[in-house]
């Protein structure tokens, strides 16, 4: 009896009662796991409530919104669960020198960051106005790729691969040099795309002329830019080539100066022809009154007196399919007006000079029955 009481007392003194094993897990370990989980749960709920309140007052709704609050709440709860299970020893296994708990946490951080970046990108695009949509789309893509890249390196750090990353990069140095020659075009296009974003010579929806291509900017991506030509075909231009090319933005400003050339015969009165053309321009609604159109004799050509017309017109009416009811319509009106006034628009003429005088012999055709 005394021996039994002494054993119980000894166990109590040593704290063995608090360390009693339950399926190989001590009560202290269970308590620690519960504390970790509760701390994570409390912090997750506090953060979600704070973000929900902040979303009603902030202008950055594209990042601080209900979806972001729910995503961060779920992330913290899941990470707290992983650490609680790790405290219980359930996730004590190691893979490639990293614990399973760290690997799971790294994966969850990357996955939820990816979800957060994607939803933020969608919010930015969804809440933008139609006028700012092309620019917002480029910003949203840059924000998305930046978030995903940062999440990737944070995940590597959580998994415990940061220390090994330098070694891996050094070991892959030779391979990187070999692959660098193969991927230098990709890198050049990527860097050019970033420079193009800050330089902003064009945006989605602009009408542009780049080399032999002309059309509407359909999409601007990190590596290339796509242009939909007037005939409906799609052209993909690498950003490196685009960055080094001369870009003519046909629609950057609301008005542009149109130039038309017309030739009249040398016998005609040039000033009278100019007055007729000016009357046509004054009657045309597509020609702007300010700046005032100008009509002048440009040169004395081989077969005609060439007259140049400068007229300011709305930019969107002087490109693509709109040329049918603007430029070509205006040309037709000018031609009809000149012809109506009896002013000749000549065709090309040539005068041939010979060193010696030409003698032409004309033979009369033989009459039928002359020899009969």
């Amino acid at each position: 009896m005394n021996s039994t009481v002494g054993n119980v007392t000894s166990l109590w003194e040593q704290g063995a009662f608090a360390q009693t094993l339950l399926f190989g897990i001590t009560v202290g370990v269970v308590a620690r796991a519960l504390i970790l989980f509760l701390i994570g749960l409390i912090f997750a709920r506090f953060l979600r409530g704070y973000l929900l309140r902040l979303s009603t007052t902030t202008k950055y709704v594209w990042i601080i919104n209900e979806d972001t609050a729910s995503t961060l709440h779920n992330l913290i709860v899941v990470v707290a669960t992983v650490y609680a299970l790790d405290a219980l020893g359930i996730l004590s296994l190691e893979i490639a020198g990293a614990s399973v708990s760290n690997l799971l946490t790294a994966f969850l951080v990357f996955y939820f960051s990816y979800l957060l970046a994607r939803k933020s990108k969608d919010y930015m695009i969804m809440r933008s106005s139609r006028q700012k949509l092309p620019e917002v789309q480029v910003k949203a893509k840059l924000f998305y790729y930046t978030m995903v890249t940062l999440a990737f390196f944070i995940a590597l750090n959580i998994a415990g691969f940061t220390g090994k990353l330098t070694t891996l990069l050094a070991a892959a140095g030779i391979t990187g040099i070999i692959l660098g020659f193969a991927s230098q075009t990709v890198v050049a296009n990527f860097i050019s795309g970033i420079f193009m974003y800050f330089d902003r010579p064009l945006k989605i929806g602009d009408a542009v002329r780049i080399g032999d291509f002309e059309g509407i900017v359909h999409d601007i991506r990190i590596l290339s830019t796509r242009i939909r030509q007037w005939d409906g075909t799609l052209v993909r231009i690498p950003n490196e080539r685009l960055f080094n090319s001369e870009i003519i933005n046909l629609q950057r400003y609301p008005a542009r100066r149109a130039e038309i050339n017309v030739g009249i015969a040398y016998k005609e009165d040039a000033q009278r022809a100019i007055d007729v053309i000016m009357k046509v321009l004054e009657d045309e609604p597509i020609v702007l009154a300010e700046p005032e159109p100008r009509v002048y004799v440009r040169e004395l050509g081989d077969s005609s007196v060439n007259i140049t017309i400068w007229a300011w017109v709305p930019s969107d009416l002087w490109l693509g399919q709109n040329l049918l009811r603007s430029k070509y319509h205006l040309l037709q009106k000018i031609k009809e007006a000149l012809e109506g006034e009896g002013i000749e628009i000549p065709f090309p003429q040539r005068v041939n000079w010979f060193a010696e005088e030409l003698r032409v012999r004309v033979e009369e055709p033989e009459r039928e029955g002359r020899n009969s």
Side-chain angles (χ1 to χ4, degrees):
M1 182 67 179
N2 294 332
S3 177
T4 302
V5 174
N7 291 336
V8 172
T9 303
S10 177
L11 289 173
W12 181 267
E13 292 176 352
Q14 296 176 7
F17 180 75
Q19 302 292 331
T20 302
L21 297 179
L22 180 63
F23 300 106
I25 302 175
T26 64
V27 175
V29 171
V30 174
R32 180 188 174 194
L34 288 175
I35 291 173
L36 287 174
F37 178 76
L38 289 175
I39 291 175
L41 183 62
I42 294 172
F43 179 71
R45 291 187 176 181
F46 169 78
L47 182 60
R48 182 176 63 178
Y50 173 75
L51 291 178
L52 290 177
R53 291 191 301 271
L54 187 61
S55 64
T56 60
T57 58
T58 183
K59 64 179 180 179
Y60 303 104
V61 184
W62 54 271
I63 184 63
I64 302 176
N65 50 66
E66 184 177 355
D67 286 341
T68 300
S70 299
T71 302
L72 290 177
H73 173 272
N74 296 335
L75 171 62
I76 295 173
V77 170
V78 173
V79 171
T81 303
V82 171
Y83 275 98
L85 294 175
D86 182 57
L88 294 174
I90 298 176
L91 303 177
S92 59
L93 297 177
E94 291 188 357
I95 299 177
S99 64
V100 175
S101 61
N102 288 344
L103 291 177
L104 286 176
T105 304
F107 171 76
L108 292 172
V109 168
F110 178 78
Y111 176 70
F112 279 97
S113 299
Y114 159 76
L115 291 180
L116 183 62
R118 189 183 66 180
K119 290 183 178 181
S120 299
K121 180 188 70 173
D122 295 339
Y123 260 93
M124 291 177 67
I125 296 175
M126 181 179 63
R127 295 181 62 87
S128 65
S129 60
R130 180 179 294 272
Q131 293 78 9
K132 296 183 178 180
L133 180 60
E135 180 181 352
V136 172
Q137 285 179 331
V138 177
K139 290 182 178 179
K141 290 178 181 178
L142 287 177
F143 173 80
Y144 170 77
Y145 288 118
T146 302
M147 285 286 294
V148 171
T149 303
L150 291 176
F152 174 74
F153 286 104
I154 292 174
L156 284 180
N157 186 41
I158 294 175
F161 292 147
T162 306
K164 301 176 182 180
L165 186 60
T166 305
T167 305
L168 292 175
L169 291 176
I174 299 177
T175 305
I177 294 175
I178 297 174
L179 295 177
F181 290 101
S183 62
Q184 59 182 344
T185 302
V186 176
V187 175
N189 288 330
F190 176 77
I191 296 176
S192 298
I194 295 176
F195 287 157
M196 289 284 292
Y197 169 73
F198 290 105
D199 190 29
R200 296 181 181 178
L202 48 81
K203 62 179 183 295
I204 297 176
D206 281 353
V208 296
R209 183 186 301 126
I210 304 172
D212 297 332
F213 307 115
E214 182 175 327
I216 301 294
V217 179
H218 180 71
D219 192 13
I220 300 176
R221 302 188 178 183
I222 296 298
L223 299 179
S224 63
T225 298
R226 287 160 170 76
I227 297 176
R228 186 180 184 274
Q229 298 191 102
W230 305 125
D231 59 359
T233 57
L234 187 67
V235 179
R236 175 188 177 275
I237 304 178
N239 282 338
E240 181 188 14
R241 177 182 174 186
L242 186 68
F243 186 74
N244 294 323
S245 299
E246 295 181 354
I247 301 174
I248 302 176
N249 196 318
L250 305 175
Q251 206 175 357
R252 187 62 177 265
Y253 303 106
R256 56 179 293 194
R257 190 187 70 190
E259 182 175 320
I260 298 177
N261 296 314
V262 178
I264 62 173
Y266 271 90
K267 65 179 182 178
E268 304 294 347
D269 186 349
Q271 186 58 48
R272 181 164 166 261
I274 291 175
D275 294 339
V276 171
I277 296 174
M278 284 295 297
K279 182 64 171 58
V280 174
L281 298 179
E282 292 173 359
D283 295 338
E284 279 298 317
I286 66 171
V287 178
L288 303 179
E290 291 293 338
E292 184 180 359
R294 294 182 57 190
V295 182
Y296 61 94
V297 176
R298 182 172 186 174
E299 63 179 357
L300 303 178
D302 295 336
S303 305
S304 62
V305 177
N306 296 327
I307 297 177
T308 295
I309 304 166
W310 283 355
W312 287 85
V313 297
S315 297
D316 56 349
L317 294 181
W318 208 257
L319 49 85
Q321 301 298 329
N322 291 334
L323 285 176
L324 294 177
R325 60 176 182 268
S326 54
K327 179 179 180 180
Y328 303 142
H329 171 76
L330 189 58
L331 280 172
Q332 180 179 349
K333 289 293 184 181
I334 292 174
K335 179 179 182 298
E336 292 174 354
L338 292 175
E339 290 179 346
E341 295 294 330
I343 300 176
E344 179 185 353
I345 301 177
F347 52 84
Q349 303 175 21
R350 294 290 183 271
V351 178
N352 296 324
W353 295 86
F354 298 91
E356 297 180 359
E357 182 181 356
L358 295 180
R359 296 180 179 181
V360 181
R361 185 178 65 181
V362 179
E363 296 182 356
E364 296 183 357
E366 294 182 1
R367 298 179 179 178
E368 294 182 359
R370 181 176 181 180
N371 298 326
S372 60

